[in-house]
PDB file of all heavy atoms in Angstrom:
ATOM      1  N   LYS A 163      25.195 120.348 -65.677  1.00  0.00           N
ATOM      2  CA  LYS A 163      25.530 120.988 -66.950  1.00  0.00           C
ATOM      3  C   LYS A 163      24.272 121.419 -67.689  1.00  0.00           C
ATOM      4  O   LYS A 163      24.212 122.514 -68.264  1.00  0.00           O
ATOM      5  CB  LYS A 163      26.351 120.030 -67.812  1.00  0.00           C
ATOM      6  CG  LYS A 163      27.756 119.758 -67.281  1.00  0.00           C
ATOM      7  CD  LYS A 163      28.485 118.761 -68.165  1.00  0.00           C
ATOM      8  CE  LYS A 163      29.869 118.459 -67.609  1.00  0.00           C
ATOM      9  NZ  LYS A 163      30.579 117.439 -68.436  1.00  0.00           N
ATOM     10  N   ALA A 182      14.829 144.576 -77.341  1.00  0.00           N
ATOM     11  CA  ALA A 182      13.896 144.825 -78.436  1.00  0.00           C
ATOM     12  C   ALA A 182      12.690 145.628 -77.958  1.00  0.00           C
ATOM     13  O   ALA A 182      12.242 146.578 -78.638  1.00  0.00           O
ATOM     14  CB  ALA A 182      13.451 143.496 -79.043  1.00  0.00           C
ATOM     15  N   GLY A 203       6.183 143.373 -65.912  1.00  0.00           N
ATOM     16  CA  GLY A 203       6.178 144.748 -66.405  1.00  0.00           C
ATOM     17  C   GLY A 203       6.428 144.802 -67.901  1.00  0.00           C
ATOM     18  O   GLY A 203       5.854 145.651 -68.606  1.00  0.00           O
ATOM     19  N   ARG A 214      -3.145 148.574 -76.687  1.00  0.00           N
ATOM     20  CA  ARG A 214      -4.204 147.694 -76.216  1.00  0.00           C
ATOM     21  C   ARG A 214      -4.354 147.885 -74.704  1.00  0.00           C
ATOM     22  O   ARG A 214      -3.446 148.374 -74.037  1.00  0.00           O
ATOM     23  CB  ARG A 214      -3.885 146.238 -76.531  1.00  0.00           C
ATOM     24  CG  ARG A 214      -3.813 145.924 -78.026  1.00  0.00           C
ATOM     25  CD  ARG A 214      -5.136 146.175 -78.704  1.00  0.00           C
ATOM     26  NE  ARG A 214      -5.070 145.832 -80.136  1.00  0.00           N
ATOM     27  CZ  ARG A 214      -6.073 146.068 -80.998  1.00  0.00           C
ATOM     28  NH1 ARG A 214      -7.184 146.670 -80.570  1.00  0.00           N
ATOM     29  NH2 ARG A 214      -5.940 145.730 -82.254  1.00  0.00           N
ATOM     30  N   LEU A 264      12.891 142.052 -83.050  1.00  0.00           N
ATOM     31  CA  LEU A 264      14.040 142.875 -83.422  1.00  0.00           C
ATOM     32  C   LEU A 264      13.837 143.512 -84.791  1.00  0.00           C
ATOM     33  O   LEU A 264      14.272 144.658 -85.027  1.00  0.00           O
ATOM     34  CB  LEU A 264      15.314 142.008 -83.418  1.00  0.00           C
ATOM     35  CG  LEU A 264      16.632 142.781 -83.534  1.00  0.00           C
ATOM     36  CD1 LEU A 264      16.795 143.726 -82.355  1.00  0.00           C
ATOM     37  CD2 LEU A 264      17.809 141.818 -83.617  1.00  0.00           C
ATOM     38  N   THR A 273       6.386 156.520 -87.446  1.00  0.00           N
ATOM     39  CA  THR A 273       5.021 156.978 -87.694  1.00  0.00           C
ATOM     40  C   THR A 273       4.463 156.177 -88.853  1.00  0.00           C
ATOM     41  O   THR A 273       4.977 156.259 -89.975  1.00  0.00           O
ATOM     42  CB  THR A 273       4.984 158.475 -88.054  1.00  0.00           C
ATOM     43  OG1 THR A 273       5.586 159.201 -86.985  1.00  0.00           O
ATOM     44  CG2 THR A 273       3.553 158.920 -88.240  1.00  0.00           C
ATOM     45  N   VAL A 279      -2.089 159.114 -84.490  1.00  0.00           N
ATOM     46  CA  VAL A 279      -2.613 159.258 -83.142  1.00  0.00           C
ATOM     47  C   VAL A 279      -3.614 160.403 -83.140  1.00  0.00           C
ATOM     48  O   VAL A 279      -3.290 161.522 -83.521  1.00  0.00           O
ATOM     49  CB  VAL A 279      -1.471 159.542 -82.142  1.00  0.00           C
ATOM     50  CG1 VAL A 279      -2.049 159.726 -80.736  1.00  0.00           C
ATOM     51  CG2 VAL A 279      -0.454 158.417 -82.172  1.00  0.00           C
ATOM     52  N   THR A 304      -4.629 162.265 -65.267  1.00  0.00           N
ATOM     53  CA  THR A 304      -4.477 161.153 -66.212  1.00  0.00           C
ATOM     54  C   THR A 304      -5.036 161.540 -67.564  1.00  0.00           C
ATOM     55  O   THR A 304      -6.143 162.100 -67.666  1.00  0.00           O
ATOM     56  CB  THR A 304      -5.207 159.903 -65.696  1.00  0.00           C
ATOM     57  OG1 THR A 304      -4.668 159.553 -64.413  1.00  0.00           O
ATOM     58  CG2 THR A 304      -5.027 158.724 -66.643  1.00  0.00           C
ATOM     59  N   PRO A 359      27.224  79.718 -75.639  1.00  0.00           N
ATOM     60  CA  PRO A 359      28.024  78.520 -75.877  1.00  0.00           C
ATOM     61  C   PRO A 359      27.136  77.324 -76.217  1.00  0.00           C
ATOM     62  O   PRO A 359      26.049  77.168 -75.648  1.00  0.00           O
ATOM     63  CB  PRO A 359      28.757  78.308 -74.543  1.00  0.00           C
ATOM     64  CG  PRO A 359      28.798  79.660 -73.918  1.00  0.00           C
ATOM     65  CD  PRO A 359      27.534  80.334 -74.342  1.00  0.00           C
ATOM     66  N   GLN A 387      23.841  78.508 -66.305  1.00  0.00           N
ATOM     67  CA  GLN A 387      25.233  78.883 -66.050  1.00  0.00           C
ATOM     68  C   GLN A 387      26.175  77.837 -66.609  1.00  0.00           C
ATOM     69  O   GLN A 387      25.850  76.661 -66.678  1.00  0.00           O
ATOM     70  CB  GLN A 387      25.469  79.062 -64.547  1.00  0.00           C
ATOM     71  CG  GLN A 387      25.123  77.837 -63.715  1.00  0.00           C
ATOM     72  CD  GLN A 387      25.004  78.119 -62.232  1.00  0.00           C
ATOM     73  OE1 GLN A 387      24.443  79.134 -61.834  1.00  0.00           O
ATOM     74  NE2 GLN A 387      25.531  77.230 -61.419  1.00  0.00           N
ATOM     75  N   GLN A 402      19.264  76.330 -53.621  1.00  0.00           N
ATOM     76  CA  GLN A 402      19.323  74.977 -53.058  1.00  0.00           C
ATOM     77  C   GLN A 402      17.940  74.328 -52.996  1.00  0.00           C
ATOM     78  O   GLN A 402      17.813  73.113 -53.142  1.00  0.00           O
ATOM     79  CB  GLN A 402      19.956  75.022 -51.667  1.00  0.00           C
ATOM     80  CG  GLN A 402      20.160  73.665 -51.025  1.00  0.00           C
ATOM     81  CD  GLN A 402      21.097  72.767 -51.831  1.00  0.00           C
ATOM     82  OE1 GLN A 402      22.150  73.222 -52.271  1.00  0.00           O
ATOM     83  NE2 GLN A 402      20.709  71.515 -52.024  1.00  0.00           N
ATOM     84  N   GLY A 463      24.385  59.719 -63.621  1.00  0.00           N
ATOM     85  CA  GLY A 463      22.981  59.516 -63.294  1.00  0.00           C
ATOM     86  C   GLY A 463      22.797  58.536 -62.159  1.00  0.00           C
ATOM     87  O   GLY A 463      21.981  58.759 -61.248  1.00  0.00           O
ATOM     88  N   ALA A 467      21.279  59.472 -58.409  1.00  0.00           N
ATOM     89  CA  ALA A 467      20.116  58.741 -57.917  1.00  0.00           C
ATOM     90  C   ALA A 467      20.420  58.080 -56.582  1.00  0.00           C
ATOM     91  O   ALA A 467      19.560  58.048 -55.673  1.00  0.00           O
ATOM     92  CB  ALA A 467      19.672  57.699 -58.950  1.00  0.00           C
ATOM     93  N   ASN A 542      12.506  77.111 -75.793  1.00  0.00           N
ATOM     94  CA  ASN A 542      12.242  77.984 -76.941  1.00  0.00           C
ATOM     95  C   ASN A 542      10.813  77.846 -77.456  1.00  0.00           C
ATOM     96  O   ASN A 542      10.359  78.683 -78.240  1.00  0.00           O
ATOM     97  CB  ASN A 542      13.224  77.672 -78.072  1.00  0.00           C
ATOM     98  CG  ASN A 542      14.646  78.037 -77.706  1.00  0.00           C
ATOM     99  OD1 ASN A 542      14.883  78.989 -76.976  1.00  0.00           O
ATOM    100  ND2 ASN A 542      15.610  77.261 -78.191  1.00  0.00           N
ATOM    101  N   ASN A 633       8.035 105.335 -65.232  1.00  0.00           N
ATOM    102  CA  ASN A 633       8.292 105.809 -63.874  1.00  0.00           C
ATOM    103  C   ASN A 633       9.635 105.312 -63.360  1.00  0.00           C
ATOM    104  O   ASN A 633      10.414 106.063 -62.763  1.00  0.00           O
ATOM    105  CB  ASN A 633       7.174 105.349 -62.937  1.00  0.00           C
ATOM    106  CG  ASN A 633       5.871 106.074 -63.184  1.00  0.00           C
ATOM    107  OD1 ASN A 633       5.848 107.110 -63.844  1.00  0.00           O
ATOM    108  ND2 ASN A 633       4.782 105.535 -62.670  1.00  0.00           N
ATOM    109  N   SER A 639      17.147 107.298 -63.866  1.00  0.00           N
ATOM    110  CA  SER A 639      17.909 108.292 -64.618  1.00  0.00           C
ATOM    111  C   SER A 639      18.274 109.486 -63.747  1.00  0.00           C
ATOM    112  O   SER A 639      19.392 110.006 -63.828  1.00  0.00           O
ATOM    113  CB  SER A 639      17.119 108.763 -65.841  1.00  0.00           C
ATOM    114  OG  SER A 639      16.891 107.686 -66.715  1.00  0.00           O
TER     115      SER A 639
END
Side-chain angles (χ1 to χ4, degrees):
K163 291 178 182 178
R214 296 298 182 186
L264 191 61
T273 303
V279 179
T304 302
Q387 57 195 42
Q402 184 61 46
N542 293 327
N633 289 344
S639 298

